Amino acid sequence: MQSGAAALSKLDRVRDEIDDLFPHSAMVRNRSIAVLLPCYNEEAAIGTVIDGFKRALPGARIYVYDNNSTDGTYEAAVAAGAIVRREMLQGKGNVVRRMLADIDADIYILADGDATYDPSAAGALIEALVTRNLDMMVGTRNGGDGAFPRGHRFGNHLFNRILAHMFGDGFTDILSGYRVLSRRFAKSFPVTSSGFEIEAELSVHALDLKIATGEMPLPYATRPEGSQSKLRTYRDGTRILLTLIKLYKETRPLRFFSAIGAMLLLICLGLGAPLIVTYLETGLVPRFPTAILAAAIAQLGFLSFAIGLVLEAIAQGRREAKRMRYLDLDAVANKS
């Protein structure tokens, strides 16, 4: 009996030592972890990324979804020991949609396969997610001009300001691709994006449903030699901006259409004010075409307000449905 008790005591000490060495290990016990790496032509970097996550999270399953690469990304990922699959629809958003649909886990780590994010930080992100009972942790990027060019830094700051103005404060780096998601976030997130705007959509979804999230500043490295960025600054920046406008229309329709209605009424007022003054002075309406145009624009303005009211009710119903789906799933801290 004493030898058995001594053995158990020794085992407890070993577990405590492991927990001291890897603080996140106690947090993720009995939780399955999936590392999701969407890739397109990342042969030069993907092996390093997979090895980094293997060292950081020995028990995690690492998935690489190859998105029609023309180099040896698929073979390099297989050789590094990842679970490798293919997604034929081009675009990061399409790959993330497929990953979240296919893969079942308690915790999801979403990163890029270009070796710009630090895999060793995954444990700290997971620990923050579990201990604070959050549904998304975002690794905000800290890097020099080599890793994070000034143009991209300015664009990221601009989009952060636009998002805060449209949906409220909550994020300082909405375009970061390094995120840790809970199961209930991943399985209640209806991905609609097809490209790099997926990160903006993740952020808007969290703000719209008032989901608990957090941020952690992390180093952001330059790409390794032989790896090229797939981001096209102006094209993808325009797509991100249009996505934010579309999501604003879908989640805040009353504000969106009220702004259009107010603009139309201002135009109507600008066209009609001189006619009203002339009518009050002379009792005549000298420019009938202008009067008809002003009346038509006024009708469009009031119609826009009415459309906003109807769509606001629909948006609220959709928000409640998404919220109920979200609440159907257990919080990450409730996993025993």
Side-chain angles (χ1 to χ4, degrees):
M1 292 293 292
Q2 291 181 352
S3 61
L8 288 174
S9 177
K10 185 176 181 180
L11 180 59
D12 289 337
R13 287 198 301 272
V14 170
R15 286 175 177 171
D16 291 339
E17 290 175 2
I18 292 175
D19 289 343
D20 290 338
L21 290 172
F22 304 99
H24 64 273
S25 62
M27 297 296 104
V28 302
R29 189 176 293 130
N30 300 324
R31 294 177 176 87
S32 57
I33 302 173
V35 179
L36 313 182
L37 302 173
C39 284
Y40 173 66
N41 288 347
E42 297 293 357
E43 179 184 7
I46 188 60
T48 302
V49 175
I50 294 170
D51 289 341
F53 278 110
K54 278 185 173 181
R55 290 193 297 270
L57 301 169
R61 291 169 293 157
I62 301 175
Y63 294 87
V64 172
Y65 273 54
D66 179 59
N67 195 206
N68 303 313
S69 296
T70 56
D71 62 2
T73 298
Y74 187 96
E75 292 76 13
V78 171
I83 303 169
V84 188
R85 297 171 182 171
R86 298 187 190 273
E87 171 53 47
M88 305 307 295
L89 289 176
Q90 196 67 39
K92 184 176 181 180
N94 291 322
V95 180
V96 172
R97 181 189 303 111
R98 177 75 179 276
M99 286 177 146
L100 296 182
D102 288 357
I103 299 167
D104 204 26
D106 295 317
I107 298 172
Y108 298 82
I109 301 172
L110 181 62
D112 292 337
D114 56 9
T116 54
Y117 296 112
D118 182 12
S120 66
L125 289 170
I126 292 172
E127 183 177 8
L129 184 87
V130 176
T131 56
R132 295 163 59 185
N133 198 23
L134 304 176
D135 287 297
M136 180 167 68
M137 277 294 298
V138 181
T140 58
R141 296 168 289 179
N142 288 330
D145 289 344
F148 209 175
R150 291 185 179 181
H152 289 182
R153 194 189 304 272
F154 171 78
N156 189 52
H157 178 71
L158 177 63
F159 286 128
N160 288 329
R161 294 291 299 273
I162 292 172
L163 183 93
H165 180 72
M166 287 181 167
F167 302 97
D169 293 325
F171 297 100
T172 60
D173 188 3
I174 68 165
L175 301 181
S176 172
Y178 198 6
R179 299 171 184 246
V180 176
L181 310 176
S182 69
R183 173 182 169 81
R184 67 176 180 177
F185 186 103
K187 295 301 183 182
S188 65
F189 174 47
V191 185
T192 61
S193 300
S194 60
F196 285 107
E197 62 273 19
I198 179 65
E199 284 89 2
E201 188 181 5
L202 281 163
S203 302
V204 171
H205 179 71
L207 291 172
D208 185 41
L209 295 188
K210 295 180 173 55
I211 292 173
T213 62
E215 292 184 324
M216 182 180 295
L218 298 174
Y220 187 66
T222 57
R223 283 174 166 269
E225 186 177 353
S227 175
Q228 295 182 344
S229 175
K230 315 307 181 298
L231 180 68
R232 297 183 183 180
T233 303
Y234 298 106
R235 186 200 68 176
D236 290 317
T238 301
R239 290 185 63 173
I240 292 168
L241 179 59
L242 293 176
T243 296
L244 289 175
I245 294 173
K246 183 191 75 171
L247 292 172
Y248 187 69
K249 175 181 69 69
E250 292 177 353
T251 60
R252 307 286 193 275
L254 182 57
R255 295 182 187 178
F256 181 84
F257 285 100
S258 293
I260 295 176
M263 182 180 63
L264 290 172
L265 291 177
L266 284 175
I267 294 172
C268 167
L269 184 62
L271 291 172
L275 302 180
I276 294 172
V277 172
T278 302
Y279 176 77
L280 292 176
E281 292 176 348
T282 66
L284 301 173
V285 181
R287 300 193 298 273
F288 272 104
T290 303
I292 294 171
L293 176 61
I297 292 175
Q299 288 180 332
L300 290 175
F302 287 115
L303 180 61
S304 184
F305 281 116
I307 290 173
L309 286 171
V310 173
L311 292 180
E312 184 71 19
I314 295 173
Q316 181 62 27
R318 294 180 60 205
R319 187 177 296 113
E320 291 173 357
K322 287 189 289 186
R323 184 74 183 178
M324 293 306 296
R325 170 56 184 160
Y326 165 80
L327 293 175
D328 278 342
L329 303 167
D330 288 336
V332 66
N334 292 342
K335 179 75 174 180
S336 59

